[in-house]
């Protein structure tokens, strides 16, 4: 799997990096940066949950 981020849609709620800090991190403005775009199998469950919880639909998954 590969995480994709639509930076124009991200408004910085922070749910993604709160839920999966090994995969997502905040930039200086609190917006999302994908630090691990291809999560390991151990990181995958939390990464998928973080994508699903984004209120702006800014995150997606390419399989
Ligand atoms: S949860 Fe969505 S809107 Fe919030 S920081 Fe993450 S990607 Fe951006």
């Amino acid at each position: 799997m590969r995480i994709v981020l639509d930076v124009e849609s991200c408004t910085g709620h922070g749910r993604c990096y709160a839920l999966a800090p090994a995969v997502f991190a905040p930039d200086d403005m609190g917006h999302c940066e994908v630090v691990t775009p291809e999560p390991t199998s151990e990181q995958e469950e939390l990464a998928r949950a973080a994508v699903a919880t984004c209120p702006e639909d800014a995150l997606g998954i390419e399989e």
Side-chain angles (χ1 to χ4, degrees):
M1 69 180 283
R2 181 174 182 82
I3 306 287
V4 291
L5 167 66
D6 175 4
V7 294
E8 299 296 323
S9 297
C10 174
T11 56
H13 294 275
R15 293 187 188 183
C16 56
Y17 47 78
L19 192 58
V23 179
F24 307 95
D27 67 9
D28 291 343
M29 301 293 289
H31 294 120
C32 174
E33 288 184 350
V34 183
V35 294
T36 309
E38 295 186 12
T40 65
S41 54
E42 290 79 16
Q43 296 167 331
E44 188 173 321
E45 186 176 346
L46 276 180
R48 288 183 186 278
V51 169
T53 200
C54 175
E56 305 296 339
D57 285 333
L59 296 168
I61 294 172
E62 293 175 348
E63 299 292 350

